[in-house]
Amino acid sequence: MGQASFPGMYERWLVGPLFRPWAEATFDEVTLSPGNRVLDIACGTGIVARVARERLGAAGYVVGIDINPEMLAVARTVAPDIDWRAGNASALPLHDKEQFDVIVCQQGLQFFPDKPAAAAEMRRALAQGGRLAVATWRSDEEIPFFRELRRVAERLLGPIADLRHSLGNAAPLEALLRDAGFHEVRSRTISRTIRFEDGAPLLRLNTMALVGMSAAGKAMADQERQRVVEDIVSGSAPVLQSHADGSGVVFEVSSNLVTAKG
């Protein structure tokens, strides 16, 4: 993967096979209409915003907000026609009285330090009668592929609190949105079969994430951290092999999809 930045690797290797299916599923659930104004919160490199743009064409307005300027730099390169903004989910960078018909937060809320503040900001940004969709991964105990990779990493790192799966239970998320003033809050679990033609980049990026989230990894110097990543990648090869079908790596992933109205 050379010297590419993490956002560049994320866009190249993960977005298409892993994140685009959930963006599509979200807009199958929350149908867009011509003229809709759409906000993608914690947009990363912007796949949700891009799918919204594809479905709306010129008959809509799409904004993506993220706290990471490097992610936004990739987003701007891939889709310069979308309004990308740097900002914090707990203090959204909105214009005066700016509101949206549809707001989506895909796999971002579980990382926000102040979730009630972020939920309140989503409510402020949503027009009366507008629709919200929030997706969070289910627990990795329900996703054998990622559970097995975590357990390999834990042999070297000790217990890992994987924030990606920290809102695996939809009930606290539903309560959070109701407390913020949303109505008709509903959740369901969506599962998809995910296929990677080449599982090696996924394995490496996932390992980097696990090491970065572990207490042991955070305490390591760069060189030691790189060595541990290599050791975990090597030790994870049997997991990758067990999910191979001859033409790639295939596994099931489950996510909560919680919808609400303003």
Side-chain angles (χ1 to χ4, degrees):
M1 296 190 295
Q3 298 300 311
S5 67
F6 182 84
M9 292 188 290
Y10 175 97
E11 172 63 30
R12 178 178 179 183
W13 298 109
L14 299 185
V15 164
L18 184 58
F19 291 105
R20 186 181 183 98
W22 304 102
E24 299 280 6
T26 295
F27 290 124
D28 289 344
E29 184 84 10
V30 181
T31 307
L32 299 178
S33 302
N36 274 168
R37 297 172 60 85
V38 181
L39 175 59
D40 177 8
I41 297 176
C43 65
T45 60
I47 187 57
V48 170
R50 285 169 5 221
V51 170
R53 166 62 73 206
E54 290 169 12
R55 296 200 177 197
L56 286 170
Y61 179 58
V62 183
V63 174
I65 294 175
D66 200 273
I67 198 170
N68 187 323
E70 294 180 348
M71 286 284 195
L72 289 174
V74 174
R76 291 188 179 103
T77 299
V78 176
D81 60 326
I82 291 174
D83 182 355
W84 305 108
R85 304 179 192 174
N88 192 310
S90 298
L92 293 172
L94 305 180
H95 303 317
D96 186 41
K97 298 182 180 179
E98 184 178 30
Q99 290 190 311
F100 296 84
D101 304 295
V102 176
I103 295 177
V104 178
C105 183
Q106 175 171 281
Q107 309 306 339
L109 183 58
Q110 58 265 55
F111 296 100
F112 299 164
D114 191 339
K115 294 174 180 61
E121 281 291 274
M122 292 177 192
R123 183 65 192 89
R124 178 175 74 91
L126 191 64
Q128 188 69 29
R131 294 161 295 157
L132 172 74
V134 177
T136 61
W137 299 125
R138 297 288 294 178
S139 165
D140 70 356
E141 292 295 335
E142 300 178 24
I143 307 173
F145 180 72
F146 287 115
R147 180 188 67 221
E148 292 163 22
L149 291 178
R150 172 174 55 81
R151 288 178 177 173
V152 172
E154 286 179 332
R155 293 175 199 161
L156 288 175
L157 297 168
I160 299 171
D162 192 334
L163 288 176
R164 294 173 295 183
H165 301 279
S166 60
L167 274 177
N169 184 346
L173 179 51
E174 291 180 33
L176 179 75
L177 297 181
R178 290 191 182 98
D179 288 346
F182 288 98
H183 308 287
E184 297 182 37
V185 179
R186 299 186 177 94
S187 66
R188 68 188 187 99
T189 300
I190 297 178
S191 297
R192 290 287 184 275
T193 299
I194 303 298
R195 175 182 294 276
F196 280 79
E197 292 183 7
D198 182 358
L202 167 65
L203 174 56
R204 182 166 295 277
L205 290 169
N206 186 69
T207 300
M208 290 166 62
L210 289 170
V211 172
M213 286 185 287
S214 70
K218 290 173 183 175
M220 291 175 185
D222 288 347
Q223 188 171 0
E224 183 184 6
R225 189 179 301 112
Q226 291 169 10
R227 179 186 60 77
V228 169
V229 166
E230 296 302 329
D231 288 346
I232 294 171
V233 167
S234 176
S236 300
V239 177
L240 214 60
Q241 185 59 40
S242 70
H243 288 81
D245 70 350
S247 61
V249 174
V250 182
F251 52 93
E252 289 287 318
V253 180
S254 298
S255 176
N256 300 306
L257 181 61
V258 182
T259 59
K261 289 187 177 180

